[in-house]
Amino acid sequence: TNVWYDAISLETILRDLDRYAPNASHIIVFDACRNELYLPYRAAGSKSFEVEAGRTGQFIAFSTSPNSVAADRDPSGTANGHYAKALASELLRAGQDHISMFATVKENVETATGVQRPWNLDGLPRRLFLAGMPTPSQSTLVGDAKLIWEIGKESTDVQFLQTFVSRYGDTQ
């Protein structure tokens, strides 16, 4: 019966991220639309989520589509649902950006369940590589350096500049 009093709304989380880390890129994974969740008296409506407006600087990943629920367990009997299992297997895969990673998670969940379709809101200004950048081949190194430099040449972020020099310092 305390679920309504102990829960934190997604809106509160998003607002606090905006407030306390306004210049950061945020990835929020929301895996809470459960089909086995038995809510007390106040739950007259759906167990799904309401669509949030997209926010600049935030990528929100939902385990299922609006007005749908997510399976709580996979058929192998593990306590994790399909979405958590698919996400865990992709998080440490180097060389893929967040867009590719969450697309693969979506494909794996849809294939495994046949009905559950993860959904995302992407308000990030650029791709993020969570487990490391891909290792470029020598033929694309110069082209990548030019492209990345055009995007970040005005940056004052020391970490970006150090990473750029260490990766592309031998290029023109």
Side-chain angles (χ1 to χ4, degrees):
T1 58
N2 290 338
V3 70
W4 298 111
Y5 305 104
D6 295 339
I8 300 172
S9 72
L10 178 58
E11 176 60 34
T12 298
I13 294 168
L14 299 177
R15 186 189 65 235
D16 286 352
L17 287 170
D18 277 342
R19 181 176 174 196
Y20 296 112
N23 298 321
S25 294
H26 305 121
I27 294 180
I28 301 96
V29 177
F30 197 68
D31 186 11
C33 305
R34 316 312 303 170
N35 65 356
E36 293 181 7
L37 184 60
Y38 298 103
L39 298 175
Y41 55 90
R42 194 169 159 197
S46 170
K47 297 176 189 176
S48 64
F49 67 92
E50 294 179 20
V51 178
E52 286 286 326
R55 293 172 181 246
T56 301
Q58 295 181 341
F59 180 94
I60 308 171
F62 297 92
S63 61
T64 191
S65 299
N67 304 313
S68 299
V69 293
D72 285 314
R73 301 183 196 291
D74 73 20
S76 68
T78 64
N80 295 326
H82 295 282
Y83 186 80
K85 185 176 178 181
L87 181 59
S89 72
E90 293 298 316
L91 273 173
L92 299 178
R93 191 179 308 234
Q96 66 177 345
D97 58 58
H98 74 285
I99 296 168
S100 299
M101 183 189 77
F102 282 102
T104 301
V105 168
K106 178 180 176 180
E107 291 167 3
N108 291 343
V109 170
E110 286 188 68
T111 299
T113 66
V115 294
Q116 184 177 332
R117 187 167 192 243
W119 193 73
N120 306 315
L121 283 171
D122 190 357
L124 294 179
R126 68 182 72 74
R127 295 171 186 256
L128 297 179
F129 292 84
L130 302 176
M133 297 281 289
T135 305
S137 66
Q138 193 60 28
S139 63
T140 62
L141 194 61
V142 173
D144 288 350
K146 286 179 182 178
L147 177 64
I148 291 171
W149 184 248
E150 282 304 311
I151 293 169
K153 67 184 175 184
E154 302 298 322
S155 177
T156 58
D157 181 344
V158 173
Q159 184 177 5
F160 165 77
L161 295 170
Q162 288 173 336
T163 302
F164 182 85
V165 169
S166 70
R167 186 171 297 264
Y168 303 110
D170 294 335
T171 65
Q172 185 181 7

